[in-house]
Amino acid sequence: MTGAKFFKFARDCKIADSKKVTRTDIDMLFTKIKAKGSRTINFPTFLKAIPELAKMKFGSASEDELVNLILKNGSSKSSGTKAKATRFHDDKSLYTGVYKNGGPSAMDGHKITLSKMTDRSGHNVRGVNYKFSHNK
């Protein structure tokens, strides 16, 4: 767990409240518990931080209160952006043109055969062979 994830954990569990326990306090604790030269902590090291967090939050080393707070608020919160509904994209009854009928097709139902592949007769600008085109 990195320092940023450790702070996100503290914020999501309502341990860091910006009054009594600030981001700086959480960062200082993370720096204190992690190994020198390391940027992350493992689970046993995380468990060592629990009494320190309890002391910061409640003024005592009562781990039970902190564990109850973590369990109560422990699910991670997503802060991603939710897109608004767009009527022309979401409502398929408003589609127009080619998209109303299911969208463009590169092959238009033509099967590729050996005779079509080896045919060198004229093609239009899109590469469709005049001989096999349905717009004769």
Side-chain angles (χ1 to χ4, degrees):
M1 176 183 280
T2 63
K5 296 287 183 187
F6 188 69
F7 175 72
K8 184 176 182 337
F9 151 76
R11 185 187 61 213
D12 289 348
C13 291
K14 297 192 170 65
I15 297 168
D17 56 10
S18 74
K19 292 178 184 125
K20 195 170 184 181
V21 181
T22 64
R23 182 179 184 110
T24 306
D25 296 332
I26 299 295
D27 287 340
M28 294 296 286
L29 175 63
F30 183 80
T31 304
K32 180 180 168 185
I33 63 170
K34 73 176 179 66
K36 192 169 193 137
S38 176
R39 298 177 75 188
T40 59
I41 60 171
N42 55 17
F43 188 67
T45 308
F46 171 78
L47 291 177
K48 290 178 189 174
I50 298 294
E52 296 289 329
L53 285 170
K55 199 179 295 181
M56 287 173 152
K57 181 71 177 174
F58 302 112
S60 66
S62 174
E63 295 176 31
D64 294 334
E65 285 182 77
L66 186 72
V67 169
N68 287 336
L69 184 67
I70 292 169
L71 292 175
K72 181 178 152 192
N73 302 307
S75 63
S76 65
K77 279 74 173 177
S78 175
S79 60
T81 305
K82 184 157 173 68
K84 293 180 183 177
T86 307
R87 134 185 121 154
F88 291 117
H89 179 267
D90 299 334
D91 188 1
K92 293 190 179 191
S93 68
L94 298 175
Y95 283 7
T96 60
V98 143
Y99 298 98
K100 187 175 189 175
N101 298 320
S105 173
M107 295 304 293
D108 293 330
H110 294 290
K111 291 188 177 194
I112 299 175
T113 63
L114 186 58
S115 64
K116 288 181 182 178
M117 286 175 52
T118 57
D119 183 25
R120 299 263 185 205
S121 63
H123 293 77
N124 65 12
V125 292
R126 296 181 128 194
V128 178
N129 191 320
Y130 292 125
K131 187 175 178 183
F132 299 108
S133 173
H134 59 70
N135 297 332
K136 291 183 181 178

